[in-house]
Structure formats: C-alpha cells, structure tokens
Amino acid sequence: MNQYFKDAVTSEYMFNQDFFGKIDMFPTIFGKCAHLFLENVSGVMANSFDVIGILIVIRIAHKSYEALKERGIACLYTHYEQLLSALWPRFDLVAHLHADSLRSADADRLGSEELRPHYITRRVAELSAALLSLNEGFNHPRVTKAVATIHAKHESLLLNLARKHRTPNGRLVFLINNYDHVLSVCDGRNIDASQLQAVKQAMDNRVGAFVDLELDKYYKRLIAFVKETAPAVSAAAEPESLRVDQGVVDSLVKEFSSSWKEVIENINKDVLAFFSNFLTGSHILQQTLTQLVLHYTRFEEIVRKCFRASTFKEFVPTARVTYQIKKSSMCFS
C-alpha cells in the first residue's frame, strides 16, 4: 500500500507541477487518503507487540522518506515525518517491555541447571540479531540503545540463573556458553562486532576467570609461589642471595613432574565436556594451556636464577611441556 500511495502521489505531484505550477494540490487530491493511511498504520501499530515488525515498518517509512527527498516530492515530507513520529514511540515501548520482562523474570522458575545456553538466551540472541540486522546501514541510536538495554537485563538474569549452579566452575561455564551463543548467532548474521562489545567483554572476563580457576584446580601452590616470588627475583641484582626455600621448590618440582601430562589431558577433557561451541572451546583450551606455560616459564626462571636446575633431578624443562601441549592440542584443532 505504501508503494502504491507513494508512486501515485509522485506521479500526480509531477503532473500538477507541470500544469498548475507552485499551487499545492496535495491536500485537495490526497488529503483524505493520507489521513486514512496514517490512521490505519497508527491503529495497527498501537496494538502490535512485534518489535521486529515495527522496526521493519520504520525502515520502510524512512526509506520512502529518503527516496521522496531525492525526487523532491515535498508534499509528502510532512506525511512521513508524522508516520515516523507515531512509530518510534511504539518501538521504544515494546522494546522496553522486552527488557522489562527479562528484569522481572524469576530465575527459580526458568528451567533446570544446565551448562548449555538457556532457552531465554536463544530468544534474546535471535531478537538481538534481528534488530541489529535491521539497523545495519541505518545506525539509529534508538535501536542501539534498545538492544543494549535488552543485553544488560539479560546479563542480570544470567547472573541470577548462574547462582543455581553449585560450583564456581559451573557458574562460569554456564555464563560463557550463554554469552557465546549470543555472539555466535549475531556473527552468523554478519553483525558488526562493535555492536556487541558489552557482551564480548563480559565473556572475556569470564573466560579469564575460568582459566585461572581451571589452573588453580591443579597447580594452586605453584601459581601462588610464582606470583609471590617472581617480582622479588626479577628485581634482585643477585637472585642467588634471596632466601627461596629449596624444600618448597623441590616439592613443587616433584608435584609438577609427576602430574603435568595427566593435567594437560584433563584440561582437554574438561574443555571438550564444558563448551558446546567447538571454536570457543578451542580458543579457551589454547588460552588455558598458554597460561599454564607462562606460569611454568616464570617458575623455571626462578629455579634457574636461584638454584642450579640440576639441583632438582625431576625438573621438567619448559620446552618439553610446550611440545606436549602442541601435540595434545592437535586433536582439538
């Protein structure tokens, strides 16, 4: 209807310009038709809760307005300005209702304790992707703000849902899987990554926490020793003079040498079991093992600067650990 109306007015406007000059015949010829058009659209939109459909109508109206400005059909400028003025408040209201439904949701009534993406997350991901897709090339701040608000309320709900998991590890995995699903769905629609910075940042923070927690599960003593000792060793002119407890170092060397291969395999298994997205799991595995190597490299530096490596017969060189990690990671790449 919009296309027929726009074309009919354009044709009549050009005819009137040629034959009647600057006399505005639009109110006489199309005034009632334009009023009925606005009344019908406003009536339908007033009862619509389809935020995607409302945005589609907004995009059509805006495209029509821009096309008419290019043609110079001035008689329809006010018509489309009024139409957009009626549509935007409804879009804001319905988008707010979506966000408010997430805010008021009761986490205790929203399903079982699973690590996979929650069904609410799947709906939020599809809604976000649709709205951001429609905003491509439009870049309207009201759409951007609406999506950001929905994501903020969704994150609050996710944090409440995560509390249902009994372990810190389970809570982090749940959050990562849910953030990742939103990002994956939007990436599949070629959404500009800059539109999802808040979600990406939240996921990166949880991945970092997961990596630390996963490594603490196996080498908490070694990591704590490195964090405590490494700064003093790096700053010392003569590290050998530092009072580093050889007995502690010896116990850490033995602990690592007796378990490191098994730990690498366990980390592989954990990541495979926890993360539903293969690419995300691969990234987190690489980040976890890289962090393990970094901690152990700093531990090796402490050992070499403060003692002779030969002092500890079971000492494992970093190069050997790195080789094993590369070999083990091949099955995940």
Side-chain angles (χ1 to χ4, degrees):
M1 185 174 72
N2 175 71
Q3 188 66 40
Y4 289 133
F5 176 71
K6 183 176 65 176
D7 289 346
V9 172
T10 299
S11 177
E12 192 66 31
Y13 178 82
M14 295 175 69
F15 174 81
N16 290 336
Q17 288 287 91
D18 289 339
F19 284 87
F20 299 104
K22 295 183 179 181
I23 300 174
D24 186 6
M25 302 293 290
F26 178 79
T28 304
I29 302 172
F30 288 103
K32 291 183 179 180
C33 182
H35 177 74
L36 181 63
F37 183 93
L38 283 170
E39 190 176 67
N40 285 339
V41 173
S42 298
V44 171
M45 291 297 104
N47 296 301
S48 174
F49 292 89
D50 179 7
V51 71
I52 297 172
I54 295 170
L55 185 55
I56 289 172
V57 176
I58 289 173
R59 288 303 314 269
I60 292 171
H62 188 268
K63 279 280 187 181
S64 299
Y65 181 65
E66 291 296 318
L68 290 168
K69 287 180 72 175
E70 289 181 8
R71 297 178 190 176
I73 313 299
C75 62
L76 279 178
Y77 291 176
T78 302
H79 169 76
Y80 280 101
E81 287 168 358
Q82 290 176 344
L83 180 59
L84 289 168
S85 296
L87 291 170
W88 274 118
R90 187 63 188 178
F91 172 84
D92 292 338
L93 174 62
V94 178
H96 172 75
L97 291 174
H98 279 289
D100 195 57
S101 69
L102 292 169
R103 181 195 62 79
S104 60
D106 185 354
D108 293 331
R109 298 182 179 181
L110 292 178
S112 59
E113 300 176 14
E114 293 187 352
L115 297 177
R116 295 177 298 175
H118 197 275
Y119 70 89
I120 296 293
T121 295
R122 298 181 188 277
R123 295 176 183 178
V124 169
E126 293 296 337
L127 176 61
S128 302
L131 293 176
L132 290 173
S133 292
L134 288 168
N135 203 36
E136 283 287 322
F138 190 41
N139 300 322
H140 202 286
R142 292 170 94 153
V143 179
T144 303
K145 181 181 178 181
V147 174
T149 302
I150 289 171
H151 284 167
K153 301 303 181 186
H154 175 238
E155 181 173 13
S156 297
L157 177 59
L158 285 180
L159 293 174
N160 288 331
L161 289 168
R163 293 190 183 101
K164 298 170 72 175
H165 294 274
R166 298 179 181 179
T167 65
N169 196 292
R171 291 191 283 272
L172 288 171
V173 171
F174 171 78
L175 290 171
I176 292 168
N177 280 332
N178 279 269
Y179 293 137
D180 180 59
H181 184 74
V182 174
L183 293 171
S184 296
V185 170
C186 291
D187 183 62
R189 309 285 175 81
N190 297 317
I191 304 298
D192 185 357
S194 64
Q195 301 284 336
L196 301 159
Q197 280 299 321
V199 180
K200 183 67 168 63
Q201 186 61 54
M203 179 176 167
D204 288 345
N205 291 341
R206 268 58 182 208
V207 169
F210 170 82
V211 169
D212 292 340
L213 196 63
E214 187 72 3
L215 294 178
D216 274 354
K217 183 166 64 175
Y218 300 106
Y219 294 120
K220 187 172 184 176
R221 287 179 62 241
L222 186 146
I223 293 170
F225 174 81
V226 168
K227 288 181 177 179
E228 181 182 344
T229 310
V233 172
S234 299
E238 297 180 357
E240 299 87 348
S241 63
L242 293 174
R243 294 183 179 180
V244 178
D245 192 326
Q246 183 173 336
V248 171
V249 174
D250 188 50
S251 67
L252 292 174
V253 168
K254 289 179 179 178
E255 178 186 349
F256 188 85
S257 65
S258 65
S259 63
W260 66 278
K261 288 185 179 181
E262 183 182 355
V263 166
I264 291 173
E265 291 303 317
N266 287 339
I267 291 173
N268 269 278
K269 291 175 183 177
D270 285 346
V271 172
L272 281 167
F274 287 150
F275 301 106
S276 51
N277 186 319
F278 182 85
L279 292 177
T280 300
S282 178
H283 170 73
I284 293 173
L285 174 63
Q286 182 181 17
Q287 191 169 332
T288 305
L289 296 178
T290 299
Q291 192 63 35
L292 173 61
V293 171
L294 289 175
H295 284 310
Y296 192 70
T297 299
R298 295 177 72 191
F299 178 69
E300 182 180 30
E301 289 176 358
I302 294 170
V303 172
R304 294 190 182 281
K305 288 182 178 180
C306 298
F307 309 95
R308 292 182 179 179
S310 58
T311 304
F312 308 102
K313 297 180 180 179
E314 299 178 48
F315 185 80
V316 180
T318 302
R320 188 178 169 192
V321 177
T322 304
Y323 172 78
Q324 183 64 30
I325 286 175
K326 288 180 180 179
K327 181 180 176 182
S328 178
S329 298
M330 287 177 66
C331 65
F332 206 92
S333 60

